[in-house]
Amino acid sequence: MASPTQERTLIGLCDGQLDEYKFRPTFLTNKVGGRPNWLPVISPPSPRCRRCRAPLVLVVQVYCPLDASPYHRNLHLFACPGAECSSRSDCWTVLRSQCLEAEARTDSGPKQPQEVPLSATDWCDDADEWGEEADGFGAGVEEEEGGLVPEEAAGGGDIEVNIGRQLQQLHLEEAPDTVSILCSLFISVVDESDLGGEDEELRHAQQLLREYEHKEGAMMAELEGGGGGSEEKYEKTRARHGDAVFSRFMKKISLCPQQILRYCRGGCPLFISEPPCNVEQMVSACGTCGASRTFELQLMPALVSLLQTRGGSGGQVEFGTILVYTCRNSCWTAGSKSALEEECLVQCDPDHDLFR
């Protein structure tokens, strides 16, 4: 596995609603919400919340193959929509799945004509274009459900019985869809280095940030002027450092406040609040190969308002930022049918109203 010669940060943006009646997503699709699209060889898991045992909802699906790797590669991020759960790390699940091109072709059945790909930048240098889909992937299930009635059922009564059985089977297979599903949205991508132009909205956002920093600085000066014991001074210093972390976060995203995802495998995460001093120790080693985990991507505050459940039912997924760490080796056993769990850390929004 080759690492990029230069650290690049890619920015994910919402690119409109994904209508699954008009566009059939596959594992190649980068998206928010909807149903997960697994690689053809993967047995679909059903992750549940470790706290309340409720089914998790898909928040983000990312197609992110690595440079010089022969594997297709996906990350699926799931969260519990419970009011008291989504702000906890143990109520999120990150699953990584991979398969070889030959395995994908074998399991995908007859190849169908491809749709015209959408123009987009890759997550990685060797990645396919976002939105480039092949109708053949996952088509087997639909063809089996909607296939012709077998010739043996030529009699009129037998046809009705077979149709009834097929409808009953279809109903049973769709039963899991009663769980909450988030509205599906396309994700497009830009290189952060390409974000340079200023417009009126950006200048306004930067002005608000400067005013916020000035106000916080004045408040800190007033507090420090009031004296106090060593314990009080320690708390003030800690609060000031926390404000500095948040200020850096706001400055970094000011070029593109609407970003919903940042991708930089092997790079440094952008903390929204002061991280624990032992944050590196909090990220455990890979449970499969024992290698350390490295930062890969994070979800951003602007995503929260877009996470709406279909039909308006269910809870609300809320967070400040979600930091995702994956196996440094991206270990995988050829022919494996089970997705591997990675790790994530949740940071709550220190100022909830800022992103409303």
Side-chain angles (χ1 to χ4, degrees), residues 82-97:
E84 299 181 1
C85 290
S86 59
S87 60
R88 298 168 54 108
S89 297
D90 58 350
C91 298
W92 284 72
T93 294
V94 179
L95 296 178
R96 171 173 56 88
S97 55

Side-chain angles (χ1 to χ4, degrees), residues 152-163:
E152 291 78 5
D158 291 339
I159 291 177
E160 293 179 0
V161 171
N162 272 275
I163 291 176

Side-chain angles (χ1 to χ4, degrees), residues 248-260:
R248 284 196 298 270
F249 182 91
M250 294 299 294
K251 282 184 178 179
K252 192 68 174 178
I253 70 171
S254 63
L255 284 177
C256 185
Q258 67 270 33
Q259 60 187 273
I260 62 174

Side-chain angles (χ1 to χ4, degrees), residues 65-338:
L66 302 180
D67 296 342
S69 170
Y71 288 100
H72 290 292
R73 185 172 179 271
N74 277 122
L75 290 176
H76 289 88
L77 279 66
F78 296 87
C80 179
E84 299 181 1
C85 290
S86 59
S87 60
R88 298 168 54 108
S89 297
D90 58 350
C91 298
W92 284 72
T93 294
V94 179
L95 296 178
R96 171 173 56 88
S97 55
Q98 301 178 197
C99 82
L100 296 168
E101 175 64 24
E103 294 174 323
R105 288 179 178 174
T106 300
D107 283 59
S108 63
K111 198 168 185 180
Q112 302 293 326
Q114 291 188 336
E115 297 179 7
V116 178
L118 300 175
S119 175
T121 306
D122 297 335
W123 279 130
C124 307
D125 292 340
D126 293 341
D128 291 338
E129 289 187 340
W130 289 27
E132 184 174 350
E133 311 296 344
D135 284 347
F137 290 123
V141 174
E142 295 184 7
E143 291 173 357
E144 181 179 342
E145 292 174 354
L148 297 175
V149 177
E151 292 182 3
E152 291 78 5
D158 291 339
I159 291 177
E160 293 179 0
V161 171
N162 272 275
I163 291 176
R165 288 174 179 170
Q166 288 181 0
L167 290 174
Q168 184 179 19
Q169 181 182 7
L170 184 62
H171 175 73
L172 291 174
E173 290 176 352
E174 290 182 347
D177 290 349
T178 56
V179 301
S180 296
I181 298 176
L182 298 177
C183 295
S184 194
L185 306 167
F186 283 109
I187 299 177
S188 63
V189 64
V190 296
D191 196 308
E192 188 175 42
S193 62
D194 294 334
L195 300 173
E198 286 193 3
D199 56 19
E200 189 61 33
E201 183 178 351
L202 175 57
R203 285 192 292 271
H204 178 63
Q206 292 175 331
Q207 177 62 29
L208 291 176
L209 178 60
R210 285 191 291 269
E211 292 175 0
Y212 169 80
E213 290 174 335
H214 178 74
K215 179 181 178 182
E216 290 297 312
M219 290 176 62
M220 289 307 304
E222 182 179 343
L223 285 172
E224 289 175 354
S230 58
E231 183 178 347
E232 184 180 356
K233 289 181 180 179
Y234 170 78
E235 291 300 328
K236 291 175 184 176
T237 303
R238 185 176 180 183
R240 184 168 61 250
H241 182 255
D243 287 340
V245 172
F246 182 66
S247 178
R248 284 196 298 270
F249 182 91
M250 294 299 294
K251 282 184 178 179
K252 192 68 174 178
I253 70 171
S254 63
L255 284 177
C256 185
Q258 67 270 33
Q259 60 187 273
I260 62 174
L261 187 151
R262 295 175 65 86
Y263 184 97
C264 185
R265 179 173 166 82
C268 297
L270 183 59
F271 294 105
I272 195 171
S273 58
E274 183 179 2
C277 57
N278 63 336
V279 63
E280 293 184 0
Q281 287 73 31
M282 291 176 62
V283 179
S284 61
C286 174
T288 302
C289 72
S292 61
R293 285 189 167 100
T294 185
F295 172 75
E296 184 156 352
L297 65 84
Q298 69 186 100
L299 304 185
M300 304 299 285
L303 176 60
V304 173
S305 63
L306 303 177
L307 300 178
Q308 304 295 325
T309 55
R310 294 182 180 177
S313 59
Q316 174 68 50
V317 178
E318 295 186 349
F319 55 85
T321 186
I322 309 296
L323 311 172
V324 176
Y325 295 81
T326 60
C327 174
R328 186 176 298 276
N329 296 333
S330 195
C331 63
W332 190 258
T333 303
S336 176
K337 296 184 180 299
S338 299

